[in-house]
PDB file of all heavy atoms in Angstrom:
ATOM      1  N   GLU A 201      23.765  14.735 -18.242  1.00 85.00           N
ATOM      2  CA  GLU A 201      24.230  15.115 -16.902  1.00 85.00           C
ATOM      3  C   GLU A 201      23.184  15.986 -16.204  1.00 85.00           C
ATOM      4  O   GLU A 201      22.956  15.859 -15.010  1.00 85.00           O
ATOM      5  CB  GLU A 201      25.578  15.826 -17.005  1.00 85.00           C
ATOM      6  CG  GLU A 201      26.694  14.842 -17.395  1.00 85.00           C
ATOM      7  CD  GLU A 201      27.954  15.538 -17.871  1.00 85.00           C
ATOM      8  OE1 GLU A 201      28.018  16.790 -17.821  1.00 85.00           O
ATOM      9  OE2 GLU A 201      28.886  14.827 -18.306  1.00 85.00           O
ATOM     10  N   ASP A 202      22.554  16.882 -16.941  1.00 79.00           N
ATOM     11  CA  ASP A 202      21.395  17.601 -16.416  1.00 79.00           C
ATOM     12  C   ASP A 202      20.578  18.118 -17.599  1.00 79.00           C
ATOM     13  O   ASP A 202      21.031  18.110 -18.741  1.00 79.00           O
ATOM     14  CB  ASP A 202      21.791  18.738 -15.459  1.00 79.00           C
ATOM     15  CG  ASP A 202      22.667  19.797 -16.125  1.00 79.00           C
ATOM     16  OD1 ASP A 202      22.254  20.328 -17.165  1.00 79.00           O
ATOM     17  OD2 ASP A 202      23.762  20.091 -15.601  1.00 79.00           O
ATOM     18  N   TYR A 203      19.360  18.537 -17.297  1.00 81.00           N
ATOM     19  CA  TYR A 203      18.505  19.030 -18.373  1.00 81.00           C
ATOM     20  C   TYR A 203      17.547  20.084 -17.824  1.00 81.00           C
ATOM     21  O   TYR A 203      17.287  20.161 -16.626  1.00 81.00           O
ATOM     22  CB  TYR A 203      17.697  17.886 -19.011  1.00 81.00           C
ATOM     23  CG  TYR A 203      16.521  17.410 -18.185  1.00 81.00           C
ATOM     24  CD1 TYR A 203      15.242  17.926 -18.401  1.00 81.00           C
ATOM     25  CD2 TYR A 203      16.685  16.465 -17.177  1.00 81.00           C
ATOM     26  CE1 TYR A 203      14.161  17.502 -17.636  1.00 81.00           C
ATOM     27  CE2 TYR A 203      15.619  16.033 -16.414  1.00 81.00           C
ATOM     28  CZ  TYR A 203      14.360  16.558 -16.646  1.00 81.00           C
ATOM     29  OH  TYR A 203      13.288  16.151 -15.894  1.00 81.00           O
ATOM     30  N   THR A 204      17.052  20.917 -18.729  1.00 77.00           N
ATOM     31  CA  THR A 204      15.969  21.855 -18.395  1.00 77.00           C
ATOM     32  C   THR A 204      14.911  21.734 -19.478  1.00 77.00           C
ATOM     33  O   THR A 204      15.202  21.348 -20.618  1.00 77.00           O
ATOM     34  CB  THR A 204      16.463  23.317 -18.335  1.00 77.00           C
ATOM     35  OG1 THR A 204      17.101  23.633 -19.582  1.00 77.00           O
ATOM     36  CG2 THR A 204      17.452  23.519 -17.201  1.00 77.00           C
ATOM     37  N   THR A 205      13.682  22.068 -19.120  1.00 76.00           N
ATOM     38  CA  THR A 205      12.619  22.069 -20.129  1.00 76.00           C
ATOM     39  C   THR A 205      12.572  23.449 -20.774  1.00 76.00           C
ATOM     40  O   THR A 205      12.756  24.470 -20.110  1.00 76.00           O
ATOM     41  CB  THR A 205      11.257  21.749 -19.496  1.00 76.00           C
ATOM     42  OG1 THR A 205      11.015  22.668 -18.450  1.00 76.00           O
ATOM     43  CG2 THR A 205      11.231  20.344 -18.941  1.00 76.00           C
ATOM     44  N   VAL A 206      12.353  23.456 -22.068  1.00 77.00           N
ATOM     45  CA  VAL A 206      12.249  24.728 -22.808  1.00 77.00           C
ATOM     46  C   VAL A 206      10.988  24.696 -23.666  1.00 77.00           C
ATOM     47  O   VAL A 206      10.476  23.626 -23.996  1.00 77.00           O
ATOM     48  CB  VAL A 206      13.491  24.963 -23.709  1.00 77.00           C
ATOM     49  CG1 VAL A 206      14.736  25.168 -22.872  1.00 77.00           C
ATOM     50  CG2 VAL A 206      13.695  23.798 -24.675  1.00 77.00           C
ATOM     51  N   LEU A 207      10.498  25.854 -23.984  1.00 72.00           N
ATOM     52  CA  LEU A 207       9.306  25.913 -24.823  1.00 72.00           C
ATOM     53  C   LEU A 207       9.701  25.731 -26.288  1.00 72.00           C
ATOM     54  O   LEU A 207      10.673  26.330 -26.752  1.00 72.00           O
ATOM     55  CB  LEU A 207       8.586  27.247 -24.639  1.00 72.00           C
ATOM     56  CG  LEU A 207       7.986  27.463 -23.250  1.00 72.00           C
ATOM     57  CD1 LEU A 207       7.335  28.835 -23.169  1.00 72.00           C
ATOM     58  CD2 LEU A 207       6.983  26.383 -22.909  1.00 72.00           C
ATOM     59  N   PRO A 208       8.954  24.930 -27.027  1.00 72.00           N
ATOM     60  CA  PRO A 208       9.269  24.714 -28.448  1.00 72.00           C
ATOM     61  C   PRO A 208       8.994  25.977 -29.269  1.00 72.00           C
ATOM     62  O   PRO A 208       8.172  26.805 -28.887  1.00 72.00           O
ATOM     63  CB  PRO A 208       8.320  23.578 -28.840  1.00 72.00           C
ATOM     64  CG  PRO A 208       7.183  23.677 -27.880  1.00 72.00           C
ATOM     65  CD  PRO A 208       7.765  24.174 -26.602  1.00 72.00           C
ATOM     66  N   ALA A 209       9.690  26.079 -30.410  1.00 69.00           N
ATOM     67  CA  ALA A 209       9.561  27.294 -31.229  1.00 69.00           C
ATOM     68  C   ALA A 209       8.941  27.030 -32.596  1.00 69.00           C
ATOM     69  O   ALA A 209       8.591  27.975 -33.304  1.00 69.00           O
ATOM     70  CB  ALA A 209      10.945  27.931 -31.409  1.00 69.00           C
ATOM     71  N   THR A 210       8.777  25.759 -32.964  1.00 73.00           N
ATOM     72  CA  THR A 210       8.209  25.462 -34.278  1.00 73.00           C
ATOM     73  C   THR A 210       6.753  25.032 -34.131  1.00 73.00           C
ATOM     74  O   THR A 210       6.331  24.585 -33.060  1.00 73.00           O
ATOM     75  CB  THR A 210       8.994  24.312 -34.958  1.00 73.00           C
ATOM     76  OG1 THR A 210       8.790  23.118 -34.189  1.00 73.00           O
ATOM     77  CG2 THR A 210      10.485  24.626 -35.017  1.00 73.00           C
ATOM     78  N   VAL A 211       6.009  25.160 -35.237  1.00 78.00           N
ATOM     79  CA  VAL A 211       4.603  24.744 -35.224  1.00 78.00           C
ATOM     80  C   VAL A 211       4.486  23.278 -34.836  1.00 78.00           C
ATOM     81  O   VAL A 211       3.654  22.901 -34.002  1.00 78.00           O
ATOM     82  CB  VAL A 211       3.948  24.998 -36.611  1.00 78.00           C
ATOM     83  CG1 VAL A 211       2.605  24.279 -36.716  1.00 78.00           C
ATOM     84  CG2 VAL A 211       3.753  26.488 -36.839  1.00 78.00           C
ATOM     85  N   GLN A 212       5.341  22.465 -35.427  1.00 74.00           N
ATOM     86  CA  GLN A 212       5.288  21.028 -35.134  1.00 74.00           C
ATOM     87  C   GLN A 212       5.599  20.764 -33.657  1.00 74.00           C
ATOM     88  O   GLN A 212       4.933  19.975 -32.984  1.00 74.00           O
ATOM     89  CB  GLN A 212       6.292  20.290 -36.025  1.00 74.00           C
ATOM     90  CG  GLN A 212       6.240  18.766 -35.841  1.00 74.00           C
ATOM     91  CD  GLN A 212       7.294  18.052 -36.689  1.00 74.00           C
ATOM     92  OE1 GLN A 212       7.999  18.684 -37.459  1.00 74.00           O
ATOM     93  NE2 GLN A 212       7.390  16.746 -36.534  1.00 74.00           N
ATOM     94  N   GLY A 213       6.629  21.451 -33.125  1.00 74.00           N
ATOM     95  CA  GLY A 213       7.003  21.273 -31.724  1.00 74.00           C
ATOM     96  C   GLY A 213       5.910  21.737 -30.781  1.00 74.00           C
ATOM     97  O   GLY A 213       5.630  21.093 -29.765  1.00 74.00           O
ATOM     98  N   ILE A 214       5.283  22.876 -31.116  1.00 77.00           N
ATOM     99  CA  ILE A 214       4.203  23.407 -30.268  1.00 77.00           C
ATOM    100  C   ILE A 214       3.009  22.452 -30.274  1.00 77.00           C
ATOM    101  O   ILE A 214       2.402  22.189 -29.233  1.00 77.00           O
ATOM    102  CB  ILE A 214       3.784  24.812 -30.751  1.00 77.00           C
ATOM    103  CG1 ILE A 214       4.927  25.809 -30.500  1.00 77.00           C
ATOM    104  CG2 ILE A 214       2.515  25.282 -30.054  1.00 77.00           C
ATOM    105  CD1 ILE A 214       4.760  27.139 -31.200  1.00 77.00           C
ATOM    106  N   ARG A 215       2.673  21.916 -31.454  1.00 78.00           N
ATOM    107  CA  ARG A 215       1.559  20.970 -31.555  1.00 78.00           C
ATOM    108  C   ARG A 215       1.837  19.733 -30.689  1.00 78.00           C
ATOM    109  O   ARG A 215       0.980  19.265 -29.946  1.00 78.00           O
ATOM    110  CB  ARG A 215       1.359  20.565 -33.019  1.00 78.00           C
ATOM    111  CG  ARG A 215       0.219  19.546 -33.206  1.00 78.00           C
ATOM    112  CD  ARG A 215       0.071  19.117 -34.650  1.00 78.00           C
ATOM    113  NE  ARG A 215      -0.624  20.130 -35.441  1.00 78.00           N
ATOM    114  CZ  ARG A 215      -0.060  20.830 -36.424  1.00 78.00           C
ATOM    115  NH1 ARG A 215       1.205  20.622 -36.745  1.00 78.00           N
ATOM    116  NH2 ARG A 215      -0.746  21.737 -37.085  1.00 78.00           N
TER     117      ARG A 215
END
Side-chain angles (χ1 to χ4, degrees):
E201 289 164 5
D202 60 54
Y203 76 94
T204 55
T205 56
V206 294
L207 294 178
T210 66
V211 167
Q212 183 183 356
I214 292 167
R215 179 182 282 114

